Amino acid sequence: MTGAPSADILLLRKMHPLIERSLGGRFTIHRLDEAPDGDALLREVGPRIRGLCAGGTVDAALMERLPALELIANFGVGYDAVDAGAAAARNVIVTNTPDVLTEEVADLAIGLVLATIRRLPQADRYLREGHWPKAPFPLTASLRGRRVGILGLGRIGRAIARRLEGFDVAIDYFGRSRQSGVDYTYHDTPVSLARAVHVLIVVAPGGPETKGLVGAEVLEALGPEGILVNVARGSVVDEAALIAALRAGTIHGAGLDVFENEPHVPADLAALENTVLLPHVGSASEHTRNAMAQLVVDNILSWFEGRGPITPVAETPWRPRA
């Protein structure tokens, strides 16, 4: 791992140990979160920063303070917190970590579907609180005979669908366009999808285009037997509309791994018994986080060794020079 040109890299916050360990011996690292005065640090080193390691918000204002910036390496497949359009306008490449977390998140999504429908956390609590000797746990809903909809049939959505095939359920999907080579039933609106299914799994990317995509109309279409599961971004679901729908019985229940204002979860949502709530752990296994961290490192090394980025995002494509 010798021979890579030295460069100044900015870390916005504490990153995965593998990232910090791998980059520390190869580059000059600056830690914004550890600086007594962040503005002073940016004034001092901002003009020298060529790479940025991100796991949070990177907006145009920050990029403006980093005139030599070449690469933003995002820790995560979702990069809605990075202004990729502003990066493209500055000829800055943005990378993310696709594929390496696909299977883990898909596994979690299936677990969350089952936990929500069969009320597994509630059953666990029922036993621990000593209620079982008094009466059996109440009967629950079932995945049997249900139709499942996937809102966003990308890498993770397809992986979820493959797993669902083993449960012998019908599968529908919504996306920006119909996909070739897919036998699942396509819907051209989220409302149409929700109306046709009993379980709606949200896997759409975050960002302005999908903000509040699952709102009151979609929840109404999902109906009183409907289950909503979100493993995408909290912004895709209108949280206030969801709380109202859960309270009113407009839908049966919800399983959520993501929220609008993480890590803060509304008390009104946490108080509802017809929910299963997780602290954004979709990719949070040691195996997968190590793989994500390694891909961040590999993108940075590849870029500064002159080989280009490995996984540039769509807004900042890269082609090798002829």
Side-chain angles (χ1 to χ4, degrees), residues 77-94:
V77 65
Y79 56 94
D80 46 297
V82 177
D83 190 336
R90 291 167 170 76
N91 294 316
V92 174
I93 294 291
V94 178

Side-chain angles (χ1 to χ4, degrees), residues 31 139 186 236 249 315:
R31 292 282 302 269
L139 298 180
Y186 174 70
V236 182
E315 293 88 342

